[in-house]
Amino acid sequence: MAEVGSIALNNEVTIPQLGFGVYQVAPEDTAKAVRGALDAGYRSIDTAAAYQNEAEVGDALSSSGMARSDLFITTKLWNSDQGYDSTLRAFDESLGKLGLDYLDLYLIHWPVPKRGIYVDSWRAMQKLYADGRVRAIGVSNFHLPHLRRLLDETAIVPAVNQIELHPQLPQAELRRFHAENGIVTEAWSPLAQGALLGEGIITALAAKYGKSPAQIVLRWHLELGNVVIPKSVTPSRIAENIDVFDFELAEDDLAAIDELDNGNRVGPDPDTFNLA
Ligand code: NAD
């Protein structure tokens, strides 16, 4: 079975470098997909209150019989729950749905710049962390001004920023800032939701290495040092996406993949995404 490496967060907790994402996995499909992922060797699961499948993730975790300490579970605070008290309430609700008594990583899902209250939410996250209810706290979709504001106004540096990142949107500036500040970069939509798997350079490298296009893209992430959380409900793809620890891409092949950068997003722009 695949051996997934770990990355140290800024508080000595470690996160598996590859996990399983469950965005757009229907509640009725979630338990089966998560059990399939656990069977394939995944130990890190990424969900969110907004995905409306936390309870089904919890069902899969409890029925798996796996030791809690072997798992790394992430969920996220939804935009409408931002604010100090509402963050504390939302955390309790998510934890209850997941059937857990602590969380490994809790993230502010989006900065929601129009409301501008992510500092209040972050203070609540700091309390949850201080109270030992979550092992690490972080953010998602934060751009430089949002990160700088947190760093200026609050005590704890986010352990993670989970952002859209793939070869078409490599996020060099954010990754540099993360590296300078001890923030781990976690890539969402690491496969650009499948959109770049037909690109000529990706299929050529797949042929060269005897791997699938998805495996080539995931390997690019791992070699950049990103944490990745690919999603699939197809058992063969779930297995394929974790089977990426037995090869490495050559420098010039990594550079050839870098050429795919065209700034394309598959998701919303955090500067203007204010849905609540
Ligand atoms: P992804 O890049 O992981 O792509 C998933 C899609 O790619 C699948 O639905 C399938 O169509 C295809 N695919 C997967 N494996 C494949 C394979 N081996 N071969 C061919 N095609 C394959 O996109 P995603 O689901 O949007 O992102 C992954 C995870 O990131 C999510 O499930 C979620 O946990 C997280 N996420 C977070 C945010 C956020 O705002 N924080 C936003 C989107 C996603």
Side-chain angles (χ1 to χ4, degrees), residues 39-218:
D39 289 345
Y42 295 75
R43 293 295 174 265
S44 165
I45 309 294
D46 181 85
T47 184
Y51 303 168
Q52 301 193 346
N53 56 20
E54 288 171 311
E56 292 76 11
V57 169
D59 290 345
L61 300 178
S62 62
S63 68
S64 75
M66 294 204 53
R68 176 67 185 89
S69 56
D70 289 339
L71 299 166
F72 190 100
I73 309 303
T74 302
T75 194
K76 312 184 192 87
L77 174 76
W78 184 239
N79 300 351
S80 53
D81 290 320
Q82 283 219 24
Y84 188 87
D85 291 332
S86 41
T87 294
L88 299 179
R89 275 196 301 274
F91 177 87
D92 283 341
E93 204 171 304
S94 284
L95 206 61
K97 285 186 177 161
L98 285 160
L100 300 176
D101 51 15
Y102 70 90
L103 205 65
D104 295 282
L105 179 62
Y106 198 38
L107 304 177
I108 299 181
H109 205 147
W110 295 88
V112 197
K114 224 176 190 169
R115 293 188 79 193
I117 55 170
Y118 54 82
V119 170
D120 299 333
S121 311
W122 188 248
R123 294 212 167 94
M125 310 278 280
Q126 293 185 151
K127 173 172 170 49
L128 293 165
Y129 179 66
D131 290 348
R133 307 201 57 208
V134 53
R135 296 173 70 225
I137 51 176
V139 294
S140 177
N141 299 302
F142 273 45
H143 279 175
L144 291 181
H146 316 129
L147 287 172
R148 288 207 176 98
R149 192 169 159 211
L150 276 195
L151 265 51
D152 285 349
E153 296 182 24
T154 69
I156 300 182
V157 176
V160 167
N161 188 15
Q162 184 185 112
I163 51 175
E164 180 178 347
L165 199 174
H166 43 72
Q168 292 179 335
L169 189 71
Q171 304 269 25
E173 194 183 28
L174 267 176
R175 281 194 290 116
R176 210 165 23 247
F177 184 87
H178 294 167
E180 286 164 6
N181 289 280
I183 299 168
V184 166
T185 302
E186 186 169 26
W188 64 255
S189 294
L191 304 173
Q193 296 183 343
L196 51 73
L197 300 181
E199 290 288 342
I201 182 63
I202 302 295
T203 55
L205 292 175
K208 172 177 170 182
Y209 286 89
K211 296 288 176 183
S212 73
Q215 288 173 322
I216 297 294
V217 174
L218 291 171

